[in-house]
Amino acid sequence: MTYQLHITRASDWMQSEELPITAVEWLKLVRTDAELVQDPTHGPYFVRWAGSAGPERWLEWADGRINTKYPDGALLKKLVAIAERLGAKVQGDGGEVYSGDEPVDEWAEDNTLPFTPRQVMLTQRLPWWRRMMRRQVARW
């Protein structure tokens, strides 16, 4: 399962449509930031981040929020800067809020999740299919 970070104005990223970042705002920000390059081959709101020296990094607007997967420390700092410009915050799938100072490079390289021990214990107790059902129910 992938781990995503979201730029959102809502209290929880899953309710981003309540206080959305609009597509117009997103595209305006992309046009004013030289490091963000629109890539229409993946959709009208898909953007590549040119400020990365490592593997290719991307961001995409959808459902009132901006998403990316497994950011390294440099991209996390960029996400926080974007969030500040939009009056939003950076939030992970687990609901945690990021300030940009977190040491994420270790978990990004190993694709391990930056959960707290309690969250890991709860996740390990549930079978994979139940975790998937929980996620699906939360989206409805």
Side-chain angles (χ1 to χ4, degrees), residues 55-75:
E56 198 169 274
R57 300 293 183 198
W58 58 267
L59 299 98
E60 184 174 29
W61 177 89
D63 301 322
R65 64 181 176 269
I66 301 162
N67 308 299
T68 192
K69 293 181 185 174
Y70 292 114
D72 58 11
L75 181 54

Side-chain angles (χ1 to χ4, degrees), residues 15-136:
Q15 280 82 39
S16 291
E17 292 169 341
E18 292 175 4
L19 289 170
I21 296 168
T22 66
V24 172
E25 287 178 291
W26 172 234
L27 293 176
K28 182 179 177 184
L29 186 137
V30 169
R31 283 192 302 273
T32 61
D33 191 324
E35 292 183 341
L36 300 176
V37 180
Q38 202 167 357
D39 184 355
T41 59
H42 294 286
Y45 307 115
F46 190 89
V47 172
R48 298 201 183 279
W49 180 49
S52 175
E56 198 169 274
R57 300 293 183 198
W58 58 267
L59 299 98
E60 184 174 29
W61 177 89
D63 301 322
R65 64 181 176 269
I66 301 162
N67 308 299
T68 192
K69 293 181 185 174
Y70 292 114
D72 58 11
L75 181 54
L76 177 60
K77 289 182 189 322
K78 181 66 175 181
L79 293 173
V80 169
I82 290 170
E84 287 174 358
R85 287 180 62 187
L86 293 170
K89 64 182 174 199
V90 178
Q91 189 173 41
D93 279 345
E96 69 283 359
V97 176
Y98 290 89
S99 67
D101 297 326
E102 295 80 6
V104 297
D105 292 328
E106 297 82 28
W107 63 263
E109 289 174 9
D110 300 333
N111 283 348
T112 56
L113 302 177
F115 288 140
T116 63
R118 176 165 167 66
Q119 290 170 314
V120 170
M121 286 174 29
L122 290 173
T123 304
Q124 289 175 348
R125 281 190 275 179
L126 295 174
W128 70 269
W129 57 269
R130 186 161 292 173
R131 290 192 308 268
M132 292 301 290
M133 289 301 295
R134 219 186 220 183
R135 180 171 264 186
Q136 290 299 325

